[in-house]
Short mmCIF file of all heavy atoms in Angstrom, two decimals:
data_model
loop_
_atom_site.label_atom_id
_atom_site.label_comp_id
_atom_site.label_asym_id
_atom_site.label_seq_id
_atom_site.Cartn_x
_atom_site.Cartn_y
_atom_site.Cartn_z
N ILE A 102 23.02 -7.13 5.67
CA ILE A 102 23.85 -6.29 4.97
C ILE A 102 23.42 -6.23 3.49
O ILE A 102 23.36 -5.19 2.86
CB ILE A 102 25.33 -6.71 4.96
CG1 ILE A 102 25.88 -6.66 6.37
CG2 ILE A 102 26.19 -6.01 3.96
CD1 ILE A 102 27.19 -7.17 6.57
N LYS A 103 22.82 -7.33 2.89
CA LYS A 103 22.36 -7.31 1.62
C LYS A 103 21.27 -6.35 1.33
O LYS A 103 21.12 -5.65 0.40
CB LYS A 103 21.98 -8.83 1.23
CG LYS A 103 21.52 -8.96 -0.15
CD LYS A 103 21.28 -10.37 -0.59
CE LYS A 103 20.85 -10.48 -1.99
NZ LYS A 103 20.58 -11.82 -2.34
N ALA A 104 20.35 -6.33 2.36
CA ALA A 104 19.14 -5.45 2.26
C ALA A 104 19.63 -3.90 2.26
O ALA A 104 19.04 -3.15 1.54
CB ALA A 104 18.24 -5.63 3.39
N ILE A 105 20.69 -3.60 3.09
CA ILE A 105 21.19 -2.27 3.07
C ILE A 105 21.83 -1.92 1.54
O ILE A 105 21.63 -0.85 1.22
CB ILE A 105 22.20 -2.16 4.23
CG1 ILE A 105 21.53 -2.34 5.50
CG2 ILE A 105 22.96 -0.81 4.03
CD1 ILE A 105 22.60 -2.46 6.66
N GLN A 106 22.55 -2.86 1.06
CA GLN A 106 23.09 -2.56 -0.14
C GLN A 106 22.03 -2.42 -1.27
O GLN A 106 22.23 -1.56 -2.16
CB GLN A 106 24.09 -3.72 -0.54
CG GLN A 106 25.37 -3.74 0.28
CD GLN A 106 26.15 -5.02 0.13
OE1 GLN A 106 25.67 -6.07 -0.11
NE2 GLN A 106 27.46 -4.85 0.28
N GLU A 107 20.94 -3.21 -1.18
CA GLU A 107 19.90 -3.04 -2.14
C GLU A 107 19.27 -1.61 -1.98
O GLU A 107 18.95 -1.03 -3.00
CB GLU A 107 18.78 -4.11 -1.93
CG GLU A 107 19.37 -5.49 -2.37
CD GLU A 107 18.37 -6.52 -2.03
OE1 GLU A 107 17.24 -6.32 -1.57
OE2 GLU A 107 18.75 -7.79 -2.21
N LEU A 108 18.99 -1.15 -0.72
CA LEU A 108 18.52 0.16 -0.63
C LEU A 108 19.40 1.25 -1.14
O LEU A 108 18.82 2.16 -1.81
CB LEU A 108 18.13 0.45 0.90
CG LEU A 108 16.87 -0.33 1.45
CD1 LEU A 108 16.96 -0.26 3.04
CD2 LEU A 108 15.65 0.23 0.77
N LYS A 109 20.65 1.06 -0.87
CA LYS A 109 21.68 2.09 -1.35
C LYS A 109 21.72 2.13 -2.95
O LYS A 109 21.78 3.13 -3.46
CB LYS A 109 23.05 1.81 -0.88
CG LYS A 109 23.17 2.20 0.66
CD LYS A 109 24.65 1.85 1.09
CE LYS A 109 25.63 2.65 0.26
NZ LYS A 109 26.96 2.57 0.66
N ALA A 110 21.51 0.92 -3.49
CA ALA A 110 21.52 0.82 -4.96
C ALA A 110 20.27 1.56 -5.59
O ALA A 110 20.45 2.02 -6.77
CB ALA A 110 21.55 -0.68 -5.41
N ARG A 111 19.30 1.62 -4.86
CA ARG A 111 18.06 2.28 -5.27
C ARG A 111 18.05 3.83 -5.04
O ARG A 111 17.19 4.49 -5.09
CB ARG A 111 16.81 1.60 -4.69
CG ARG A 111 16.45 0.36 -5.36
CD ARG A 111 15.24 -0.21 -4.95
NE ARG A 111 15.38 -0.71 -3.65
CZ ARG A 111 14.26 -1.05 -2.87
NH1 ARG A 111 12.96 -0.78 -3.31
NH2 ARG A 111 14.39 -1.63 -1.72
N GLY A 112 19.20 4.37 -4.55
CA GLY A 112 19.40 5.67 -4.06
C GLY A 112 18.79 6.15 -2.90
O GLY A 112 18.61 7.39 -2.68
N ARG A 113 18.53 5.22 -2.03
CA ARG A 113 17.90 5.47 -0.77
C ARG A 113 18.91 5.89 0.27
O ARG A 113 20.11 5.44 0.28
CB ARG A 113 17.14 4.29 -0.13
CG ARG A 113 15.99 3.80 -1.11
CD ARG A 113 15.04 4.85 -1.39
NE ARG A 113 14.32 5.29 -0.26
CZ ARG A 113 13.01 5.01 0.03
NH1 ARG A 113 12.19 4.44 -0.91
NH2 ARG A 113 12.38 5.42 1.22
N THR A 114 18.59 6.77 1.26
CA THR A 114 19.47 7.06 2.35
C THR A 114 19.18 6.01 3.43
O THR A 114 18.02 5.83 3.85
CB THR A 114 19.22 8.51 2.87
OG1 THR A 114 19.51 9.40 1.85
CG2 THR A 114 20.06 8.78 4.12
N VAL A 115 20.19 5.47 4.05
CA VAL A 115 20.09 4.37 5.01
C VAL A 115 20.99 4.82 6.25
O VAL A 115 22.16 5.23 6.07
CB VAL A 115 20.60 3.11 4.47
CG1 VAL A 115 20.51 1.93 5.59
CG2 VAL A 115 19.86 2.71 3.28
N PHE A 116 20.30 4.81 7.44
CA PHE A 116 21.01 5.04 8.64
C PHE A 116 21.32 3.70 9.26
O PHE A 116 20.45 2.90 9.45
CB PHE A 116 20.16 5.93 9.65
CG PHE A 116 20.13 7.41 9.12
CD1 PHE A 116 19.12 7.68 8.39
CD2 PHE A 116 21.09 8.22 9.58
CE1 PHE A 116 19.01 9.16 7.95
CE2 PHE A 116 21.07 9.55 9.17
CZ PHE A 116 20.07 9.97 8.38
N ILE A 117 22.58 3.49 9.68
CA ILE A 117 22.84 2.16 10.33
C ILE A 117 23.50 2.57 11.80
O ILE A 117 24.37 3.39 11.92
CB ILE A 117 24.00 1.44 9.57
CG1 ILE A 117 23.60 1.22 8.09
CG2 ILE A 117 24.39 0.08 10.21
CD1 ILE A 117 24.66 0.81 7.15
N ILE A 118 23.02 1.84 12.71
CA ILE A 118 23.52 2.09 14.03
C ILE A 118 24.15 0.62 14.35
O ILE A 118 23.50 -0.33 14.37
CB ILE A 118 22.49 2.40 15.08
CG1 ILE A 118 21.95 3.74 14.75
CG2 ILE A 118 23.19 2.35 16.54
CD1 ILE A 118 20.79 4.19 15.55
N SER A 119 25.54 0.58 14.66
CA SER A 119 26.14 -0.73 14.80
C SER A 119 27.39 -0.63 15.53
O SER A 119 28.02 0.42 15.51
CB SER A 119 26.39 -1.32 13.43
OG SER A 119 27.06 -2.61 13.50
N HIS A 120 27.66 -1.61 16.21
CA HIS A 120 29.07 -1.82 16.86
C HIS A 120 29.92 -2.71 16.10
O HIS A 120 31.17 -2.86 16.48
CB HIS A 120 28.86 -2.46 18.30
CG HIS A 120 28.14 -1.49 19.20
ND1 HIS A 120 28.80 -0.68 19.97
CD2 HIS A 120 26.86 -1.43 19.51
CE1 HIS A 120 27.92 0.05 20.75
NE2 HIS A 120 26.60 -0.47 20.50
N ARG A 121 29.50 -3.23 14.93
CA ARG A 121 30.28 -4.12 14.22
C ARG A 121 30.93 -3.37 13.02
O ARG A 121 30.26 -2.83 12.21
CB ARG A 121 29.42 -5.28 13.56
CG ARG A 121 28.83 -6.13 14.61
CD ARG A 121 27.88 -7.15 14.14
NE ARG A 121 28.19 -7.77 12.88
CZ ARG A 121 27.40 -8.34 12.18
NH1 ARG A 121 26.04 -8.47 12.55
NH2 ARG A 121 27.78 -8.82 11.00
N VAL A 122 32.23 -3.32 12.92
CA VAL A 122 33.05 -2.62 11.97
C VAL A 122 32.73 -3.10 10.51
O VAL A 122 32.67 -2.35 9.65
CB VAL A 122 34.55 -2.77 12.36
CG1 VAL A 122 35.23 -1.96 11.32
CG2 VAL A 122 34.78 -2.06 13.66
N ASN A 123 32.49 -4.50 10.47
CA ASN A 123 32.28 -4.88 9.11
C ASN A 123 30.93 -4.45 8.44
O ASN A 123 30.89 -4.34 7.33
CB ASN A 123 32.24 -6.48 9.01
CG ASN A 123 31.10 -7.11 9.85
OD1 ASN A 123 30.63 -6.56 10.85
ND2 ASN A 123 30.77 -8.32 9.51
N VAL A 124 29.95 -4.16 9.20
CA VAL A 124 28.67 -3.62 8.77
C VAL A 124 28.94 -2.12 8.35
O VAL A 124 28.54 -1.65 7.38
CB VAL A 124 27.64 -3.59 9.90
CG1 VAL A 124 26.36 -2.82 9.44
CG2 VAL A 124 27.24 -5.03 10.14
N LEU A 125 29.73 -1.37 9.10
CA LEU A 125 30.12 0.01 8.74
C LEU A 125 30.91 0.18 7.35
O LEU A 125 31.08 1.22 6.89
CB LEU A 125 30.70 0.63 9.98
CG LEU A 125 29.88 0.68 11.10
CD1 LEU A 125 30.71 1.31 12.32
CD2 LEU A 125 28.51 1.39 10.98
N ALA A 126 31.51 -1.02 6.97
CA ALA A 126 32.39 -0.88 5.84
C ALA A 126 31.73 -0.54 4.58
O ALA A 126 32.32 0.16 3.64
CB ALA A 126 33.09 -2.32 5.65
N ILE A 127 30.44 -0.75 4.52
CA ILE A 127 29.60 -0.38 3.36
C ILE A 127 29.10 1.10 3.37
O ILE A 127 28.47 1.49 2.42
CB ILE A 127 28.47 -1.31 3.07
CG1 ILE A 127 27.47 -1.26 4.27
CG2 ILE A 127 28.89 -2.76 2.82
CD1 ILE A 127 26.17 -2.09 4.06
N ALA A 128 29.30 1.69 4.46
CA ALA A 128 28.83 3.14 4.73
C ALA A 128 29.69 4.08 3.80
O ALA A 128 30.93 4.03 3.66
CB ALA A 128 28.76 3.55 6.21
N ASP A 129 28.99 5.14 3.30
CA ASP A 129 29.58 6.22 2.71
C ASP A 129 30.14 7.19 3.62
O ASP A 129 31.21 7.90 3.44
CB ASP A 129 28.61 6.95 1.69
CG ASP A 129 28.16 6.21 0.67
OD1 ASP A 129 28.97 5.30 0.04
OD2 ASP A 129 26.98 6.19 0.31
N ARG A 130 29.44 7.36 4.84
CA ARG A 130 29.89 8.29 5.89
C ARG A 130 29.65 7.63 7.29
O ARG A 130 28.52 7.05 7.43
CB ARG A 130 29.03 9.51 5.68
CG ARG A 130 29.22 10.62 6.76
CD ARG A 130 28.36 11.77 6.54
NE ARG A 130 28.50 12.71 7.64
CZ ARG A 130 27.65 13.71 7.87
NH1 ARG A 130 26.63 13.90 7.02
NH2 ARG A 130 27.72 14.45 8.93
N ILE A 131 30.51 7.78 8.17
CA ILE A 131 30.28 7.31 9.39
C ILE A 131 30.47 8.45 10.54
O ILE A 131 31.37 9.28 10.33
CB ILE A 131 31.63 6.30 9.74
CG1 ILE A 131 31.37 5.05 8.77
CG2 ILE A 131 31.46 5.75 11.18
CD1 ILE A 131 32.58 4.13 8.85
N VAL A 132 29.62 8.45 11.43
CA VAL A 132 29.67 9.34 12.61
C VAL A 132 29.90 8.64 13.87
O VAL A 132 29.16 7.76 14.13
CB VAL A 132 28.43 10.20 12.70
CG1 VAL A 132 28.40 11.22 13.82
CG2 VAL A 132 28.17 10.92 11.36
N LEU A 133 31.04 8.72 14.46
CA LEU A 133 31.46 8.00 15.69
C LEU A 133 31.06 8.82 16.91
O LEU A 133 31.55 9.95 16.97
CB LEU A 133 33.05 7.70 15.68
CG LEU A 133 33.53 7.06 16.96
CD1 LEU A 133 33.11 5.68 16.95
CD2 LEU A 133 35.06 7.16 16.79
N LEU A 134 30.28 8.16 17.81
CA LEU A 134 29.86 9.05 18.91
C LEU A 134 30.37 8.26 20.15
O LEU A 134 30.63 7.07 20.18
CB LEU A 134 28.25 8.87 19.04
CG LEU A 134 27.44 9.52 18.02
CD1 LEU A 134 25.93 9.20 18.27
CD2 LEU A 134 27.63 11.01 17.98
N ASN A 135 30.69 9.11 21.16
CA ASN A 135 31.15 8.67 22.38
C ASN A 135 30.42 9.39 23.51
O ASN A 135 30.65 10.63 23.60
CB ASN A 135 32.64 8.93 22.60
CG ASN A 135 33.30 8.37 23.93
OD1 ASN A 135 32.65 7.77 24.77
ND2 ASN A 135 34.59 8.69 24.11
N ASN A 136 29.60 8.76 24.19
CA ASN A 136 28.66 9.41 25.17
C ASN A 136 27.91 10.48 24.60
O ASN A 136 27.70 11.55 25.23
CB ASN A 136 29.53 9.82 26.40
CG ASN A 136 30.12 8.73 27.15
OD1 ASN A 136 29.52 7.71 27.35
ND2 ASN A 136 31.32 8.92 27.64
N GLY A 137 27.44 10.32 23.41
CA GLY A 137 26.62 11.43 22.78
C GLY A 137 27.41 12.47 22.18
O GLY A 137 26.83 13.45 21.62
N VAL A 138 28.70 12.59 22.08
CA VAL A 138 29.44 13.50 21.59
C VAL A 138 30.15 13.01 20.29
O VAL A 138 30.69 11.87 20.42
CB VAL A 138 30.61 14.03 22.62
CG1 VAL A 138 31.47 15.07 21.97
CG2 VAL A 138 29.94 14.55 23.87
N VAL A 139 30.17 13.77 19.18
CA VAL A 139 30.77 13.28 17.95
C VAL A 139 32.29 13.26 18.16
O VAL A 139 32.91 14.33 18.44
CB VAL A 139 30.38 14.25 16.80
CG1 VAL A 139 31.15 13.88 15.49
CG2 VAL A 139 28.92 14.27 16.55
N GLN A 140 32.93 12.18 17.90
CA GLN A 140 34.32 11.95 18.01
C GLN A 140 34.97 11.98 16.60
O GLN A 140 36.22 12.41 16.58
CB GLN A 140 34.72 10.72 18.73
CG GLN A 140 34.17 10.64 20.21
CD GLN A 140 34.78 11.68 21.06
OE1 GLN A 140 36.10 11.81 21.12
NE2 GLN A 140 34.00 12.50 21.70
N ALA A 141 34.28 11.63 15.66
CA ALA A 141 34.80 11.50 14.26
C ALA A 141 33.64 11.53 13.34
O ALA A 141 32.61 10.95 13.60
CB ALA A 141 35.66 10.30 14.03
N ASP A 142 33.92 12.14 12.12
CA ASP A 142 32.87 12.20 11.09
C ASP A 142 33.48 12.10 9.82
O ASP A 142 34.24 12.96 9.49
CB ASP A 142 31.98 13.45 11.40
CG ASP A 142 30.78 13.60 10.39
OD1 ASP A 142 30.65 12.72 9.42
OD2 ASP A 142 30.18 14.58 10.47
N GLY A 143 33.06 11.14 8.98
CA GLY A 143 33.71 11.09 7.57
C GLY A 143 33.73 9.72 7.07
O GLY A 143 32.94 8.86 7.49
N SER A 144 34.61 9.51 6.10
CA SER A 144 34.72 8.14 5.48
C SER A 144 35.33 7.20 6.58
O SER A 144 35.84 7.48 7.56
CB SER A 144 35.65 8.35 4.27
OG SER A 144 36.98 8.53 4.67
N ARG A 145 35.32 5.85 6.16
CA ARG A 145 35.93 4.77 6.98
C ARG A 145 37.27 5.23 7.34
O ARG A 145 37.79 5.01 8.40
CB ARG A 145 35.71 3.46 6.36
CG ARG A 145 36.14 2.37 7.18
CD ARG A 145 35.78 1.00 6.56
NE ARG A 145 36.20 -0.02 7.49
CZ ARG A 145 36.80 -1.12 7.14
NH1 ARG A 145 37.38 -1.30 5.89
NH2 ARG A 145 37.16 -2.01 8.12
N GLU A 146 38.05 5.57 6.27
CA GLU A 146 39.45 5.85 6.41
C GLU A 146 39.68 7.08 7.44
O GLU A 146 40.59 7.02 8.28
CB GLU A 146 40.12 6.09 5.12
CG GLU A 146 40.11 5.06 4.14
CD GLU A 146 38.76 4.71 3.49
OE1 GLU A 146 37.89 5.60 3.45
OE2 GLU A 146 38.69 3.47 2.98
N VAL A 147 38.82 8.16 7.30
CA VAL A 147 38.96 9.23 8.12
C VAL A 147 38.69 8.84 9.66
O VAL A 147 39.41 9.22 10.53
CB VAL A 147 38.01 10.35 7.79
CG1 VAL A 147 37.84 11.43 8.74
CG2 VAL A 147 38.36 10.93 6.41
N VAL A 148 37.64 7.99 9.94
CA VAL A 148 37.33 7.54 11.19
C VAL A 148 38.35 6.72 11.80
O VAL A 148 38.76 6.84 12.96
CB VAL A 148 35.82 7.02 11.20
CG1 VAL A 148 35.56 6.28 12.66
CG2 VAL A 148 34.90 7.93 10.88
N LEU A 149 38.90 5.72 11.02
CA LEU A 149 39.97 4.78 11.51
C LEU A 149 41.15 5.63 11.87
O LEU A 149 41.91 5.40 12.86
CB LEU A 149 40.18 3.79 10.49
CG LEU A 149 39.07 2.78 10.39
CD1 LEU A 149 39.45 1.72 9.27
CD2 LEU A 149 38.88 2.03 11.74
N ALA A 150 41.47 6.67 10.94
CA ALA A 150 42.76 7.60 11.34
C ALA A 150 42.49 8.35 12.59
O ALA A 150 43.54 8.44 13.36
CB ALA A 150 42.99 8.51 10.14
N THR A 151 41.24 8.69 12.93
CA THR A 151 40.92 9.44 14.06
C THR A 151 41.07 8.52 15.17
O THR A 151 41.74 8.96 16.26
CB THR A 151 39.55 9.95 14.07
OG1 THR A 151 39.37 10.86 12.97
CG2 THR A 151 39.19 10.74 15.38
N LEU A 152 40.78 7.30 15.14
CA LEU A 152 40.96 6.32 16.27
C LEU A 152 42.41 6.01 16.46
O LEU A 152 42.83 5.68 17.57
CB LEU A 152 40.27 5.07 15.94
CG LEU A 152 38.66 5.10 15.93
CD1 LEU A 152 38.07 3.88 15.57
CD2 LEU A 152 38.24 5.53 17.38
N ARG A 153 43.29 6.05 15.40
CA ARG A 153 44.73 5.74 15.56
C ARG A 153 45.56 6.93 16.04
O ARG A 153 46.61 6.82 16.27
CB ARG A 153 45.25 5.22 14.30
CG ARG A 153 44.64 3.90 13.86
CD ARG A 153 45.33 3.21 12.68
NE ARG A 153 44.63 2.12 12.17
CZ ARG A 153 43.92 2.06 11.21
NH1 ARG A 153 43.87 3.02 10.19
NH2 ARG A 153 43.24 0.92 10.86
N ALA A 154 44.97 8.15 15.92
CA ALA A 154 45.62 9.41 16.21
C ALA A 154 46.07 9.34 17.75
O ALA A 154 45.48 8.71 18.57
CB ALA A 154 44.78 10.61 16.01
N PRO A 155 47.14 10.01 18.08
CA PRO A 155 47.58 10.15 19.49
C PRO A 155 46.41 10.75 20.27
O PRO A 155 45.57 11.62 19.78
CB PRO A 155 48.83 11.10 19.42
CG PRO A 155 49.22 11.08 18.13
CD PRO A 155 48.05 10.74 17.19
N GLU A 156 46.35 10.44 21.51
CA GLU A 156 45.37 10.93 22.46
C GLU A 156 45.31 12.45 22.50
O GLU A 156 46.39 13.12 22.66
CB GLU A 156 45.56 10.39 23.78
CG GLU A 156 44.45 10.79 24.76
CD GLU A 156 44.67 10.24 26.19
OE1 GLU A 156 45.28 9.04 26.24
OE2 GLU A 156 44.58 11.02 27.15
N ARG A 157 44.13 13.03 22.27
CA ARG A 157 43.96 14.38 22.37
C ARG A 157 43.42 14.84 23.85
O ARG A 157 42.62 14.11 24.43
CB ARG A 157 42.89 14.87 21.29
CG ARG A 157 43.39 14.70 19.97
CD ARG A 157 42.38 15.26 18.88
NE ARG A 157 41.02 14.80 19.08
CZ ARG A 157 40.48 13.88 18.43
NH1 ARG A 157 41.18 13.08 17.51
NH2 ARG A 157 39.20 13.40 18.63
N PRO A 158 43.90 16.00 24.28
CA PRO A 158 43.33 16.38 25.66
C PRO A 158 41.83 16.60 25.69
O PRO A 158 41.34 16.87 24.63
CB PRO A 158 43.92 17.66 25.85
CG PRO A 158 45.00 17.93 24.79
CD PRO A 158 44.76 16.86 23.63
N ARG A 159 41.16 16.28 26.72
CA ARG A 159 39.79 16.39 26.95
C ARG A 159 39.52 17.53 28.01
O ARG A 159 40.32 17.62 28.89
CB ARG A 159 39.18 15.11 27.36
CG ARG A 159 39.42 13.91 26.42
CD ARG A 159 38.57 14.06 25.32
NE ARG A 159 38.75 12.78 24.50
CZ ARG A 159 38.50 12.76 23.24
NH1 ARG A 159 37.97 13.78 22.57
NH2 ARG A 159 38.60 11.56 22.62
N PRO A 160 38.42 18.29 27.83
CA PRO A 160 38.14 19.14 28.91
C PRO A 160 37.98 18.46 30.25
O PRO A 160 37.39 17.51 30.31
CB PRO A 160 36.86 19.84 28.34
CG PRO A 160 36.60 19.56 26.98
CD PRO A 160 37.47 18.18 26.77
N ALA A 161 38.47 19.19 31.28
CA ALA A 161 38.36 18.58 32.62
C ALA A 161 36.89 18.46 33.01
O ALA A 161 36.01 19.23 32.74
CB ALA A 161 38.96 19.46 33.61
N GLY A 162 36.65 17.31 33.45
CA GLY A 162 35.19 17.00 33.87
C GLY A 162 34.35 16.62 32.78
O GLY A 162 33.04 16.52 32.98
N SER A 163 34.80 16.44 31.60
CA SER A 163 33.89 16.08 30.39
C SER A 163 33.36 14.61 30.52
O SER A 163 32.47 14.26 29.96
CB SER A 163 34.76 16.14 29.13
OG SER A 163 35.68 15.18 29.04
N GLY A 164 34.16 13.75 31.29
CA GLY A 164 33.71 12.36 31.45
C GLY A 164 34.00 11.52 30.15
O GLY A 164 33.60 10.42 30.11
N LEU A 165 34.62 12.19 29.13
CA LEU A 165 34.90 11.40 28.01
C LEU A 165 36.19 10.48 28.16
O LEU A 165 37.21 10.98 28.65
CB LEU A 165 35.13 12.42 26.85
CG LEU A 165 33.91 13.18 26.32
CD1 LEU A 165 34.36 14.14 25.23
CD2 LEU A 165 32.84 12.27 25.81
N ALA A 166 36.02 9.30 27.69
CA ALA A 166 37.23 8.41 27.76
C ALA A 166 38.16 8.89 26.52
O ALA A 166 37.73 9.30 25.53
CB ALA A 166 36.72 7.05 27.47
N PRO A 167 39.39 8.80 26.81
CA PRO A 167 40.35 9.14 25.72
C PRO A 167 40.30 8.20 24.59
O PRO A 167 40.01 6.98 24.80
CB PRO A 167 41.76 9.03 26.44
CG PRO A 167 41.63 8.25 27.75
CD PRO A 167 40.10 8.39 28.04
N LEU A 168 40.50 8.69 23.44
CA LEU A 168 40.57 7.90 22.23
C LEU A 168 41.78 7.05 22.22
O LEU A 168 42.94 7.41 22.75
CB LEU A 168 40.63 8.71 20.96
CG LEU A 168 39.32 9.40 20.66
CD1 LEU A 168 39.54 10.34 19.45
CD2 LEU A 168 38.17 8.44 20.36
N PRO A 169 41.82 5.71 21.81
CA PRO A 169 42.93 4.89 21.75
C PRO A 169 44.00 5.51 20.86
O PRO A 169 43.76 6.17 19.92
CB PRO A 169 42.43 3.60 21.18
CG PRO A 169 40.95 3.70 20.93
CD PRO A 169 40.61 5.06 21.30
N ALA A 170 45.31 5.24 21.38
CA ALA A 170 46.45 5.69 20.52
C ALA A 170 46.71 4.91 19.36
O ALA A 170 46.28 3.75 19.27
CB ALA A 170 47.63 5.81 21.46
#
C-alpha cells in the first residue's frame, strides 16, 4: 500500500486489482466487475452504495448473480 501511495503522490496513475476492501480505500475511482460486466463505477462511497442498493432485475439468462441487498 505504501508503494501505491508514493506513486500517487508523484502524480502517477495506478491500477489496482484486489479483493481486499482496505486496499481499495486509497483509490480515487473504483470499477466493480462481476463476470466481466461493470456493476459499479465511481468513488468508494458510490460503489458501497451500489452494493447496499436493493437488488435490481437482471436480464434472463445473463448468468449474473444478484447484488446483495
Side-chain angles (χ1 to χ4, degrees):
I102 294 177
K103 185 176 179 178
I105 294 167
Q106 290 172 327
E107 289 173 6
L108 287 170
K109 285 181 62 178
R111 289 190 278 169
R113 303 298 298 245
T114 298
V115 181
F116 288 90
I117 305 168
I118 300 172
S119 179
H120 292 272
R121 295 175 38 200
V122 175
N123 62 331
V124 172
L125 300 176
I127 63 173
D129 297 321
R130 178 180 172 194
I131 299 172
V132 179
L133 177 66
L134 299 174
N135 183 5
N136 293 322
V138 177
V139 175
Q140 298 296 309
D142 181 359
S144 67
R145 183 172 187 233
E146 293 76 22
V147 169
V148 171
L149 290 176
T151 301
L152 291 173
R153 292 185 188 114
E156 183 180 319
R157 295 187 305 264
R159 304 285 185 197
S163 69
L165 295 176
L168 291 172

